[in-house]
Amino acid sequence: MQRRQSSKTPKQPLQIHHKNQTDLSAWRKGGRIDPEKSVQNHQSPTNQKSDSNQDSLEQALSYFEKVQDHVSLKKNNVLQKHLITVESIALQRGLPPEGFDVLLNVALSGKLADTVNTRLLKSLVPASVIPETSVVSSVSWLCVSKCSGNIQLLFLRWLITMFDFIDHKEQLHALYGFFFSFLQDEKMCPYVCHLLYLLTRKESVKPFRIRRLLDLQAKMGMQSHLQALLSLYKLFCPELVTITLPGKMKTYFKNSEGPWKAAINAVRRRNQENSPVLQPLFLGTAQPQSRKRKWNTQLIIPASSTNKNNLEEDREKNRVDLYSMNESFPVEQLQTFSQLLQNIHHLEFPSQMGSVLTNPLLLHYMNCTKDESIYLRLYYWMGQTLQEECTWCVADNNQYEEEFKDFLETVYKTECFLQEGFSSCEEFLYKSLPLWDGFCCRSQILRLVSWIPLSSFSEMKSHLYDPLAQLFFTSSLYFKCSVLESLKELLQNWLNWHVIHLDSESDSQVHSLNTTLSGLVNVVAELIHFVGWISTVALRLENNPTFLLYFILDFYETVCDMYLRYNLPLLIMPPAGVFYPALLSMDSVSLNQLCYIMYRYRTNLVAAKENELSKTKILQFKFSSQTYQEYNQYIIAMVGCLWTSSAFQKDIHPQGLRMDDELLKKTTVQEFKTSFNIVYHPAMMGYAVLFLQQAWPDDTTFNFSLIKGKKWNWYLEYLYAQGLKGLKVFIESSINRVSQASHSKAGNVQV
Amino acid sequence: APGLIPAMESADGAVRTLPSIGRLSRGPTFGRAHGRFGLSPSGRLLPPAPRSQENADPQRTAFLLRKQWTLYSVTPLYRFSDTHLRDYARLLSAFIAAEKQKGLAVEVGVELDIKVSVSSLPDLKGSDQDQAAILVQLSSRSAASSKNSEEKLIWSGWFCCVSGDDLSENVPEDFTCLPLFLANGGESYTSIVGSWFQKTFDCCFRRLAISPLNLTWMAAMWTGCKVDKTASAMELVFSVPCLPQPLNISYAIHPEDAKALWDTVQKTPGEITQEEVDVFMDCLYSHFHRHFKIHLSATKLVKVSTAIASAHCDGIIKFLQSQYLTGVLMLLTELAISQIQ
């Protein structure tokens, strides 16, 4: 039965947690869906003025708790002071839950004069909720009739108005009979009817109660409030109430909102304004709809709300069973662990799946369910919202860019939380990237790219790579770096997924889709080749800046380790267009990074080779000989460049450094043969100079040829101490030094 | 030599296939197979012969004619059941009353100012898989409390799916596919009703605009349809872009002339291709150019009116012939589906 609930269409603000993962204790502790309360919690520690208010309110409450009988208001300044405190705070901020017990007790006990009681009752405006216990105890006061009839009436009106603010209603329902007995009081009757109307459930309808109501009606005539209650009884139990009731009635009950409605609204408004923390966290749901846009074109993440109409209906009246489920428990109402245990078999998602985006608890639950329909619901909602709100695909949307950014941000955080991409998001990217200017919502879009799901069919080229490449080549250095960064994350997300997947191979449901390992390998390879290609072009376009090289090599740090770290039988060497700029970089950072990468390639390739030889695994992928050849070509070039000074002679890569001696002589560079090794390499020369200064402080000739033999080893130690760890692991692994004591540099690099 | 790794050919020289692996995301995989990303198909089948003779009574859908309907696409409704239509009407009417009263309490089941009826329109179907259309009507009672007071229809809207197999075949049981929604009446009511459906069945409404390309399709398809009575002229309205003042060009063609032209263009009866539509429109454009020296191809087609129906690019449609109702709806259903997939 939908009654007052409809007046409170849930518009709770949703807290969006800035953390991507939220611990469960957060919602357990402060998670009561209770905007006002949380507003208060947020605001009180920051506001000194409200602290002093808090103190005086506490004083007033303790005064009223202990107040003696028959204190006259006129003569007692203390009472006046405390009464004014309560009134002003109540109207400004509302009263905290703990205040109601005290004040209701005082007002209904008849200790004080009616003027005081009236003023107290009128100021009972809740800041958040009203505890049920305080209402129950005040009903007991009502039963002993200590207070006057006017106060009783005012209390009933208050109760009707505040009904929705009472935190629980179970005990109140238990008092149904007490309330019913008040019907005989002629003055109270209309208000009691209203209250009963709010409280009535199907089980409350009893034949004796119907008889009593009919008697009353016979006595008092057709009264609208009695008819209201009767019609409700009839709705629940048509078989028991056989009289015909007039079908149409404008209003059943007089306006009983009294003096509180305006105060409630004012308090609510005020509390919302005053909350500096909560305000920016609202997303759509609670924002004023100032935008004059057509219906349904505003970006709103639905509030998480159970469809109360339906549930209420289910419980009370089996006839209407919208969801054809017997019972269900809304996840967002979970408060305790025992509740979770009791209801774990019939937990239900909110009526609009979109609301999970802002609710970590729901996301946790989503992570554990296998129900595909929840993903489908989310898919439709998100897909439509993204398309409708896209600021560059829909005309006139550009004024709402900030909002759209926030939305994309939320989607991205959700993907991080769930550790998987949404297919609606993927499709949105595919549709909108060709139209994107590369500027609008840049960081959000590029972050979403990193969560594009790995799929069996590779449509990446036309839908992702082509549009991205166009933007990449025509945009700034920083954009290029951002793209590389997000593609690195994309690769890592794929690889992580693959690893997790290998671990849970028994999980057959997820496997049933038709992706194969070779399919996966192909898609990953395609991504790596794409990055290799754009990196090569970008290095030429931008003239090999270290900054760009860093992002490129960062990508390859993941690539070089795929076999060992991610258990993926794939290794792809960087293209020559990346390798040689890094090798000949003027910067030791890039060279060091390259050394580390080549070391990892080696480790992976050696491990693969060993696995191949031992044949321990049945399904074994093998790297093609081409990968090994490429690696070997690079390693020759690197050793020539860093160690043997033979890069020009020995490099056998087709795009490598090999040059004829004749040609080299024409350059008129003296000693060209030694111009590339860890001493002479332009990225290392700085270190060599510093080393010389330290080793031969008196020598100012910069005689690099002094670094040889034992000094060569010292120099190596010096380099390692400078933080060139990549160089260290590379030299230690890839250069087989016959004997540490050997003096000949050339002799050091025998296999 | 440096630390080279000896190369070795793999046994079969290629990667072998491991048992299947899933996708990185859960979510539907369909929608990709069909007209990906809203691209129009290159050819369409004409709807089968009008069903009016078979089982549908034109009288029962006559009220849908000659009204302007605003088009929306709707994603599949979650846990909608057409056995609960009366309950939906009750809840929806309470929702409307609550919305109108801005938060005051409202009782369910009580007679309210606005009466809501939700009913089924079984005639509006293309195939047996289609869900029967659902009609929502809001009518207001006059203020007088007399019981038999006149009810005035103030808003109506209907969900339908005509040959929407592309969508319905791929959607699990819990979902009901009624991808096309048409509304007539104040937008405030559309908004309330739409919000209720969105909240209750977790679906999404979006305005469905008709692209100029699809308008040309409509022009061609409708030209080819036979109409018994002396039909009204076919009218195409074009808007000229980039002008300080809006300028619309109306191009009216005698329906028989248009039909004659179309008959020379169309090759296979019962089937239309994109190429034929282009040729048809080009002929009309060149004829216009011969007389007025204006290249209509450089303008934007905004409206097509024929004896069958008229359609505006903003997503507004008016049906004029009940026998072609399902045919037009079939095309609109297709457009709606391509917008939600």
Side-chain angles (χ1 to χ4, degrees):
Chain A
M1 197 60 213
Q2 173 195 353
R3 296 199 304 275
R4 295 186 64 93
Q5 275 78 6
S6 62
S7 68
K8 275 187 53 167
T9 338
K11 286 189 176 166
Q12 283 109 358
L14 292 160
Q15 294 193 33
I16 299 153
H17 297 269
H18 286 306
K19 289 178 288 180
N20 289 346
Q21 293 274 348
T22 314
D23 61 334
L24 278 166
S25 60
W27 64 265
R28 167 72 187 85
K29 229 169 73 193
R32 265 203 61 81
I33 304 168
D34 182 355
E36 287 86 357
K37 198 171 186 173
S38 56
V39 165
Q40 233 197 6
N41 290 343
H42 282 301
Q43 123 195 84
S44 46
T46 60
N47 194 332
Q48 278 199 332
K49 198 179 144 214
S50 80
D51 277 352
S52 69
N53 274 343
Q54 200 68 39
D55 290 344
S56 52
L57 179 64
E58 271 166 28
Q59 284 168 16
L61 288 180
S62 71
Y63 170 82
F64 282 116
E65 205 170 356
K66 294 172 198 143
V67 71
Q68 297 299 310
D69 284 7
H70 308 299
V71 179
S72 157
L73 179 62
K74 277 179 193 158
K75 289 172 195 158
N76 192 325
N77 288 335
V78 184
L79 173 61
Q80 276 180 18
K81 189 190 104 189
H82 288 311
L83 188 57
I84 289 169
T85 304
V86 169
E87 282 178 329
S88 68
I89 288 178
L91 295 182
Q92 273 174 27
R93 296 190 287 132
L95 296 175
E98 57 275 14
F100 288 90
D101 209 22
V102 177
L103 295 178
L104 279 169
N105 269 333
V106 154
L108 297 174
S109 64
K111 279 182 190 170
L112 300 173
D114 264 11
T115 44
V116 179
N117 295 337
T118 310
R119 281 174 65 181
L120 280 177
L121 276 175
K122 282 188 179 173
S123 54
L124 288 179
V125 177
S128 57
V129 289
I130 300 169
E132 185 186 26
T133 47
S134 64
V135 178
V136 171
S137 71
S138 43
V139 173
S140 68
W141 279 115
L142 213 60
C143 293
V144 296
S145 307
K146 286 266 188 179
C147 56
S148 71
N150 283 338
I151 295 298
Q152 286 180 341
L153 288 186
L154 191 61
F155 170 73
L156 284 175
R157 289 170 63 199
W158 175 83
L159 192 52
I160 292 164
T161 313
M162 301 300 172
F163 193 78
D164 286 337
F165 290 92
I166 301 171
D167 55 358
H168 298 96
K169 308 220 171 58
E170 282 314 303
Q171 294 180 35
L172 218 51
H173 277 290
L175 297 178
Y176 193 91
F178 285 92
F179 288 115
F180 198 88
S181 70
F182 291 135
L183 278 176
Q184 61 199 7
D185 183 310
E186 210 165 315
K187 272 189 187 158
M188 281 163 78
C189 182
Y191 299 110
V192 172
C193 276
H194 196 163
L195 190 61
L196 290 172
Y197 190 91
L198 299 175
L199 275 174
T200 302
R201 294 168 170 177
K202 190 175 180 186
E203 58 270 24
S204 326
V205 182
K206 296 273 159 38
F208 73 88
R209 286 189 180 141
I210 296 168
R211 269 199 303 281
R212 181 92 190 100
L213 282 180
L214 291 175
D215 286 350
L216 275 175
Q217 178 153 322
K219 201 171 87 192
M220 303 202 285
M222 295 277 261
Q223 299 287 339
S224 63
H225 45 268
L226 287 174
Q227 276 174 14
L229 199 52
L230 274 169
S231 66
L232 187 62
Y233 279 21
K234 185 169 179 170
L235 200 66
F236 283 132
C237 302
E239 69 284 358
L240 294 179
V241 186
T242 48
I243 59 161
T244 46
L245 292 161
K248 195 173 168 186
M249 185 63 77
K250 266 257 143 119
T251 45
Y252 282 129
F253 303 110
K254 272 184 239 157
N255 179 2
S256 58
E257 284 160 358
W260 299 283
K261 196 74 179 181
I264 292 171
N265 289 337
V267 166
R268 178 177 289 213
R269 236 187 346 263
R270 218 186 155 79
N271 283 346
Q272 268 179 14
E273 279 167 15
N274 282 351
S275 133
V277 188
L278 216 58
Q279 202 67 27
L281 299 182
F282 288 15
L283 232 179
T285 49
Q287 275 172 354
Q289 305 194 350
S290 59
R291 296 159 50 172
K292 295 250 184 279
R293 292 169 74 182
K294 289 226 170 242
W295 168 64
N296 215 24
T297 53
Q298 291 165 6
L299 181 52
I300 291 177
I301 296 180
S304 92
S305 74
T306 310
N307 203 324
K308 285 198 175 155
N309 305 341
N310 303 341
L311 287 181
E312 202 82 356
E313 209 84 25
D314 281 353
R315 249 182 275 134
E316 301 190 350
K317 197 151 147 288
N318 289 328
R319 225 177 61 200
V320 181
D321 186 7
L322 291 186
Y323 278 1
S324 57
M325 276 163 97
N326 296 329
E327 219 183 335
S328 56
F329 192 88
V331 182
E332 72 271 20
Q333 283 178 20
L334 274 182
Q335 296 291 320
T336 62
F337 188 65
S338 60
Q339 264 184 326
L340 173 66
L341 288 183
Q342 280 162 21
N343 296 293
I344 202 153
H345 57 293
H346 54 226
L347 288 175
E348 195 196 50
F349 274 103
S351 60
Q352 285 174 284
M353 274 307 290
S355 60
V356 301
L357 286 199
T358 52
N359 190 328
L361 174 60
L362 290 172
L363 289 176
H364 276 298
Y365 181 49
M366 194 167 155
N367 234 347
C368 345
T369 52
K370 291 208 165 149
D371 184 0
E372 286 299 312
S373 72
I374 60 173
Y375 280 87
L376 195 55
R377 287 159 70 190
L378 197 58
Y379 164 82
Y380 282 125
W381 174 78
M382 196 183 288
Q384 298 295 295
T385 311
L386 285 168
Q387 282 180 49
E388 190 78 38
E389 294 301 321
C390 177
T391 39
W392 59 94
C393 298
V394 181
D396 304 330
N397 252 6
N398 39 13
Q399 45 192 331
Y400 309 114
E401 189 183 331
E402 284 306 313
E403 247 170 87
F404 190 55
K405 265 187 193 168
D406 289 346
F407 180 67
L408 295 178
E409 199 76 34
T410 309
V411 171
Y412 170 73
K413 282 179 184 163
T414 313
E415 290 184 325
C416 291
F417 189 102
L418 294 173
Q419 288 289 300
E420 65 183 336
F422 293 116
S423 44
S424 48
C425 213
E426 178 196 10
E427 288 183 15
F428 163 72
L429 289 172
Y430 290 168
K431 279 183 200 174
S432 61
L433 278 178
L435 307 169
W436 188 40
D437 60 0
F439 186 75
C440 182
C441 308
R442 174 191 292 177
S443 66
Q444 285 79 14
I445 289 294
L446 288 179
R447 287 160 93 182
L448 286 176
V449 164
S450 71
W451 277 112
I452 285 181
L454 172 63
S455 39
S456 54
F457 34 75
S458 175
E459 290 171 322
M460 296 273 171
K461 187 174 165 7
S462 55
H463 291 118
L464 177 68
Y465 299 151
D466 289 352
L468 214 51
Q470 278 193 359
L471 285 167
F472 183 86
F473 294 138
T474 53
S475 299
S476 69
L477 176 63
Y478 299 101
F479 181 83
K480 292 187 175 81
C481 295
S482 316
V483 169
L484 288 166
E485 171 82 6
S486 92
L487 292 177
K488 182 197 79 184
E489 269 155 29
L490 175 66
L491 177 66
Q492 283 176 342
N493 285 334
W494 287 356
L495 295 171
N496 281 333
W497 173 84
H498 165 68
V499 170
I500 292 163
H501 219 84
L502 284 179
D503 287 347
S504 59
E505 264 176 328
S506 56
D507 190 356
S508 60
Q509 218 186 355
V510 196
H511 288 248
S512 60
L513 295 152
N514 54 352
T515 320
T516 58
L517 183 54
S518 72
L520 175 112
V521 166
N522 288 339
V523 176
V524 171
E526 203 185 333
L527 171 63
I528 296 169
H529 287 309
F530 171 70
V531 173
W533 172 61
I534 59 171
S535 301
T536 304
V537 179
L539 283 170
R540 279 185 211 159
L541 281 175
E542 303 281 349
N543 260 329
N544 306 332
T546 309
F547 191 57
L548 179 64
L549 203 51
Y550 171 79
F551 281 91
I552 295 170
L553 293 176
D554 197 30
F555 180 83
Y556 280 98
E557 268 187 39
T558 304
V559 175
C560 67
D561 238 354
M562 290 191 302
Y563 181 74
L564 284 177
R565 266 180 78 185
Y566 299 97
N567 216 348
L568 189 76
L570 178 70
L571 277 184
I572 294 175
M573 301 303 297
V578 168
F579 175 78
Y580 283 102
L583 180 60
L584 304 178
S585 162
M586 304 289 282
D587 200 299
S588 62
V589 174
S590 306
L591 185 64
N592 183 54
Q593 223 178 340
L594 180 71
C595 285
Y596 174 76
I597 289 168
M598 292 305 287
Y599 157 71
R600 290 307 303 172
Y601 271 118
R602 181 192 164 84
T603 316
N604 278 263
L605 287 167
V606 167
K609 180 108 317 193
E610 279 168 3
N611 273 340
E612 256 173 58
L613 294 176
S614 66
K615 295 212 189 285
T616 45
K617 288 177 187 169
I618 307 157
L619 288 168
Q620 184 66 58
F621 275 77
K622 289 173 181 169
F623 298 125
S624 73
S625 58
Q626 205 198 331
T627 311
Y628 291 102
Q629 276 168 12
E630 257 182 304
Y631 170 81
N632 286 338
Q633 287 174 347
Y634 283 159
I635 212 75
I636 289 168
M638 270 185 94
V639 171
C641 234
L642 295 175
W643 201 258
T644 58
S645 312
S646 56
F648 300 124
Q649 289 78 39
K650 292 206 171 156
D651 193 348
I652 49 169
H653 195 280
Q655 287 161 269
L657 298 173
R658 186 184 185 85
M659 277 180 233
D660 289 335
D661 281 2
E662 293 302 310
L663 187 67
L664 285 166
K665 275 175 193 156
K666 280 185 193 163
T667 62
T668 67
V669 175
Q670 293 177 349
E671 300 184 59
F672 59 82
K673 277 194 175 170
T674 57
S675 59
F676 270 117
N677 61 34
I678 45 169
V679 176
Y680 292 97
H681 190 292
M684 309 305 289
M685 188 103 70
Y687 290 105
V689 168
L690 290 171
F691 178 74
L692 282 178
Q693 283 176 348
Q694 287 182 28
W696 294 274
D698 305 330
D699 187 284
T700 50
T701 56
F702 292 116
N703 187 2
F704 292 116
S705 59
L706 287 174
I707 306 176
K708 62 182 175 189
K710 208 175 221 173
K711 296 284 182 337
W712 178 272
N713 289 335
W714 289 2
Y715 177 59
L716 272 185
E717 292 303 323
Y718 172 78
L719 291 178
Y720 300 162
Q722 297 299 307
L724 298 176
K725 303 286 183 228
L727 185 75
K728 181 171 193 272
V729 289
F730 173 77
I731 289 179
E732 285 175 357
S733 67
S734 301
I735 295 175
N736 204 348
R737 306 178 70 186
V738 167
S739 147
Q740 293 294 320
S742 164
H743 297 290
S744 151
K745 270 183 290 170
N748 283 347
V749 288
Q750 301 300 315
V751 180
Chain B
L4 299 185
I5 299 169
M8 222 167 71
E9 279 293 349
S10 66
D12 45 13
V15 282
R16 258 179 284 162
T17 302
L18 277 188
S20 65
I21 307 177
R23 289 158 46 76
L24 181 55
S25 79
R26 279 178 280 180
T29 49
F30 58 85
R32 303 158 173 284
H34 321 276
R36 176 107 198 194
F37 305 148
L39 295 178
S40 275
S42 56
R44 283 184 172 104
L45 292 177
L46 279 175
R51 290 161 61 98
S52 55
Q53 283 79 21
E54 297 165 30
N55 48 13
D57 177 4
Q59 289 303 313
R60 280 186 291 183
T61 50
F63 69 96
L64 301 174
L65 304 181
R66 283 175 292 281
K67 269 185 195 158
Q68 284 213 337
W69 298 100
T70 308
L71 302 173
Y72 292 83
S73 65
V74 187
T75 60
L77 310 176
Y78 180 61
R79 288 190 171 160
F80 174 88
S81 156
D82 50 10
T83 54
H84 289 313
L85 297 185
R86 300 187 71 176
D87 301 317
Y88 296 156
R90 249 165 22 85
L91 291 170
L92 178 56
S93 81
F95 182 78
I96 292 169
E99 285 292 307
K100 299 206 85 177
Q101 292 187 30
K102 296 268 179 270
L104 284 181
V106 166
E107 301 94 43
V108 175
V110 177
E111 304 250 314
L112 297 159
D113 293 347
I114 291 177
K115 192 188 159 200
V116 178
S117 84
V118 181
S119 56
S120 161
L121 292 173
D123 293 340
L124 290 180
K125 270 184 170 191
S127 70
D128 291 335
Q129 272 152 302
D130 288 336
Q131 173 78 22
I134 299 292
L135 174 70
V136 181
Q137 284 179 312
L138 308 189
S139 35
S140 73
R141 282 171 246 260
S142 54
S145 58
S146 63
K147 275 192 177 168
N148 296 327
S149 61
E150 276 291 291
E151 284 178 2
K152 192 174 152 234
L153 187 65
I154 51 171
W155 182 93
S156 39
W158 41 298
F159 296 85
C160 78
C161 179
V162 175
S163 303
D165 303 353
D166 265 5
L167 183 62
S168 49
E169 275 172 5
N170 291 301
V171 168
E173 258 179 34
D174 274 346
F175 294 85
T176 302
C177 291
L178 288 167
L180 182 64
F181 179 73
L182 306 94
N184 170 267
E187 202 192 354
S188 60
Y189 287 111
T190 311
S191 143
I192 295 174
V193 174
S195 306
W196 185 80
F197 273 91
Q198 289 191 152
K199 280 183 182 149
T200 314
F201 303 111
D202 207 359
C203 55
C204 259
F205 284 65
R206 260 178 92 197
R207 274 296 290 270
L208 179 63
I210 307 174
S211 69
L213 179 74
N214 285 318
L215 282 178
T216 61
W217 270 92
M218 292 175 180
M221 285 170 109
W222 298 345
T223 302
C225 296
K226 289 191 199 79
V227 183
D228 303 335
K229 290 171 232 158
T230 44
S232 48
M234 170 185 182
E235 190 196 12
L236 305 174
V237 178
F238 297 86
S239 98
V240 183
C242 306
L243 285 184
Q245 304 287 320
L247 174 64
N248 279 347
I249 299 170
S250 166
Y251 183 177
I253 306 131
H254 195 281
E256 283 171 20
D257 296 344
K259 176 92 167 64
L261 173 62
W262 176 246
D263 287 344
T264 63
V265 170
Q266 197 194 14
K267 293 170 197 123
T268 328
E271 192 186 330
I272 300 181
T273 64
Q274 180 69 56
E275 197 193 347
E276 290 167 351
V277 174
D278 292 343
V279 170
F280 176 67
M281 293 309 285
D282 285 344
C283 289
L284 293 178
Y285 293 163
S286 61
H287 178 73
F288 195 84
H289 182 253
R290 210 161 26 242
H291 289 280
F292 301 101
K293 302 283 175 269
I294 293 174
H295 288 288
L296 287 176
S297 51
T299 64
K300 183 189 167 201
L301 180 58
V302 293
K303 194 181 173 193
V304 172
S305 313
T306 72
I308 308 299
S310 81
H312 191 280
C313 63
D314 288 345
I316 293 165
I317 196 132
K318 195 191 268 186
F319 307 99
L320 298 167
Q321 288 284 327
S322 66
Q323 55 175 332
Y324 289 108
L325 188 59
T326 48
V328 177
L329 287 172
M330 189 170 137
L331 180 58
L332 293 176
T333 303
E334 185 195 313
L335 298 183
I337 290 175
S338 79
Q339 177 158 298
I340 59 181
Q341 279 195 343

